[in-house]
Amino acid sequence: MEEGDLMKISLKEAEVVEIKEIGEGSRVCLDFVDKLEPSEGILVGNTGHGYVLVLAENRTTDTYPGRPFRVNSGAIHHYILKEEDQTAYLAEIRPGDYISVISESGSSRSVAVGRVKVEKRPLIRLVLKVENKELSVTLQVADSVHVLAPDGTEIQAITLKKGDHVMVQVDQPGRHLGKKIEEEINEF
């Protein structure tokens, strides 16, 4: 596979309904072989119900310099959207794998991963509601982690409050080895 346009993602607005610090765990950073735009990121989530758009680390913050090639992707158990209709666990991603990098408009391009970095970090769990469904994400408690707001601006994940809105992709759970299957499944 070569870098290029892949698919169009239908991003939707979701409301933050719960925020909980859950202690330390294994966090994954993906370093790509190309620069990402400030409004580009990846789709990750705790379950197959949907994924949050986590943005590239293009911004300089109080504690981190800008790193336009990196996405702080969250907890190691996350699903990540690799390609149209295919997911993987962050724990399975290796250098050389291609990942769908999504823009705020929902367009995508496929970019290779150059490095996968796993470290112990404090984590926060966000639960979001969209279309009468709940989806969730587990992110690092760090000022370098940003998600996309409905107006196209970025929001530091650590500043989110109940009632805030972020952009997500809704999905149907049920996968086997990353490919969609029809099954009855409950994920929380």
Side-chain angles (χ1 to χ4, degrees):
M1 177 187 292
E2 295 181 10
E3 181 178 340
D5 289 334
L6 282 180
M7 62 189 155
K8 182 77 169 166
I9 298 292
S10 179
L11 295 173
K12 300 189 181 298
E13 189 173 327
E15 180 182 356
V16 177
V17 296
E18 183 181 329
I19 303 168
K20 183 177 182 181
E21 290 192 28
I22 59 172
E24 198 171 87
S26 295
R27 180 274 287 138
V28 177
C29 279
L30 296 181
D31 290 349
F32 290 90
V33 299
D34 197 7
K35 289 182 179 181
L36 279 61
E37 295 298 319
S39 62
E40 286 184 312
I42 59 172
L43 289 165
V44 293
N46 287 329
T47 71
H49 291 283
Y51 320 101
V52 174
L53 183 59
V54 179
L55 300 174
E57 289 190 1
N58 291 62
R59 300 136 206 98
T60 298
T61 67
D62 290 341
T63 56
Y64 294 96
R67 294 183 175 113
F69 55 85
R70 174 173 291 166
V71 178
N72 185 328
S73 310
I76 197 166
H77 70 276
H78 270 168
Y79 285 123
I80 180 171
L81 183 67
K82 278 185 76 172
E83 303 174 71
E84 187 170 358
D85 230 13
Q86 184 167 350
T87 61
Y89 293 112
L90 279 178
E92 298 171 337
I93 302 300
R94 297 291 177 259
D97 287 352
Y98 283 86
I99 303 297
S100 292
V101 173
I102 312 299
S103 74
E104 70 177 289
S105 69
S107 64
S108 70
R109 62 187 176 115
S110 186
V111 183
V113 173
R115 176 172 73 153
V116 178
K117 186 173 144 186
V118 181
E119 299 168 298
K120 294 286 188 184
R121 294 291 185 263
L123 300 171
I124 189 168
R125 178 182 163 87
L126 304 174
V127 179
L128 304 115
K129 191 160 203 143
V130 59
E131 299 178 347
N132 296 319
K133 294 182 182 183
E134 281 192 354
L135 56 99
S136 62
V137 66
T138 303
L139 301 171
Q140 181 182 342
V141 178
D143 65 358
S144 63
V145 181
H146 290 77
V147 295
L148 186 66
D151 66 1
T153 61
E154 70 272 353
I155 306 171
Q156 283 181 327
I158 60 172
T159 67
L160 286 169
K161 305 175 296 306
K162 285 184 185 179
D164 285 347
H165 290 83
V166 302
M167 300 307 288
V168 302
Q169 181 197 13
V170 176
D171 200 0
Q172 284 296 122
R175 296 192 179 267
H176 179 67
L177 301 174
K179 294 185 172 134
K180 275 190 182 258
I181 60 169
E182 292 293 323
E183 71 174 334
E184 187 174 322
I185 182 171
N186 292 313
E187 287 184 299
F188 305 97

